[in-house]
Amino acid sequence: MAKILFVMTGADHWTLAGNVKQHTGYWAGEFATPYRVFTEAGHDVVVTTPGGVKPPVDLASLAPVPNGGEEGARRVAATIKGAPPLDNPIPLGEVLLADYDAVFYPGGHGPMEDLAVNQDSAELLVETLRSGKPLALVCHGPAAILATAADGPSPFAGYRLTAFSDAEERIGGLADQAKWLLEDRLIELGADYHHGEPFAPFLQADRNLHTGQNPASAGPLAEVVLEAL
């Protein structure tokens, strides 16, 4: 049995232009689907957040439409309700990578607010990348990579990866209000960014780094981590 660390946002908003605070959090399906994949395979999941706060869910992600209908929404909600790790996150600053076999970053706009500038997360990312252990980030989860360039070039520069695209942000209606967009910032950091069709599953892998573009990529990304384990 492997022990998989989920690094999750503690932010319940994303600050847009004009200091407008958009309610957000983690995207429900990007936690629930990988959580089911890992736990049903017999693995253990531990959640960590900045300060050890309970990760807030983006309420919009619990609606039927992003979950393929009422049944899907009920299943996601039930998974979240029945996931003890969400109620007992450990502080990100206390994480020891040696205790885990893989690291997984769910998305949602929350990481754009806190993990994108969190140095505990940045140190964990760099350590995991260099360890060779599977490191997976999905949708807006790769925003955390931006913090690795706070004091100089990022070790992720040159890595082939994906994340939520500018096109998807425009379709979602927030691109014009955002202070910055994730695709643009990852390219500026020096990442070898690629994307597929909006909201269709799309994965990239480079050495031990595995990334998924959007919510539809969360399940396939978790299966890739299982294979890597």
Side-chain angles (χ1 to χ4, degrees):
M1 182 178 72
K3 198 171 182 180
I4 302 167
L5 182 70
F6 274 41
V7 184
M8 301 183 67
T9 182
D12 63 1
H13 67 277
W14 178 27
T15 305
L16 302 174
N19 206 35
V20 173
K21 297 189 185 311
Q22 171 78 21
H23 172 78
T24 187
Y26 70 88
W27 197 256
E30 293 174 27
F31 168 83
T33 301
Y35 180 80
R36 285 196 302 266
V37 168
F38 295 139
T39 56
E40 289 175 2
H43 301 304
D44 188 24
V45 169
V46 175
V47 169
T48 183
T49 63
V53 301
K54 182 174 179 177
V57 64
D58 188 326
L59 298 180
S61 69
L62 295 171
V65 171
N67 293 297
E70 294 283 355
E71 183 178 346
R74 284 194 294 269
R75 187 182 187 202
V76 165
T79 299
I80 289 172
K81 185 177 180 180
L86 286 174
D87 296 321
N88 300 286
I90 63 174
L92 187 50
E94 297 178 9
V95 167
L96 296 176
L97 179 60
D99 294 337
Y100 304 97
D101 301 288
V103 176
F104 191 96
Y105 278 68
H109 281 113
M112 301 278 279
E113 184 74 20
D114 60 356
L115 297 181
V117 294
N118 186 284
Q119 285 306 299
D120 289 326
S121 171
E123 291 172 10
L124 176 64
L125 283 169
V126 173
E127 185 181 4
T128 309
L129 190 71
R130 291 172 175 166
S131 74
K133 295 181 178 182
L135 172 60
L137 308 93
V138 65
C139 199
H140 290 91
I145 291 173
L146 301 178
T148 66
D151 298 319
S154 170
F156 288 83
Y159 272 76
R160 186 180 181 97
L161 53 75
T162 189
F164 203 67
S165 67
D166 288 359
E168 288 167 317
E169 210 72 82
R170 284 192 291 271
I171 293 169
L174 290 176
D176 291 340
Q177 303 172 56
K179 293 180 179 179
W180 52 272
L181 298 177
L182 183 53
E183 175 184 331
D184 299 341
R185 290 287 299 276
L186 288 169
I187 292 171
E188 290 171 8
L189 175 141
D192 183 15
Y193 177 87
H194 296 263
H195 65 80
E197 292 298 315
F199 301 106
F202 184 78
L203 305 180
Q204 292 290 282
D206 190 340
R207 287 154 281 187
N208 61 317
L209 177 65
H210 306 278
T211 49
Q213 180 176 323
N214 46 39
S217 306
L221 183 63
E223 295 289 353
V224 166
V225 173
L226 280 186
E227 293 176 9
L229 287 170

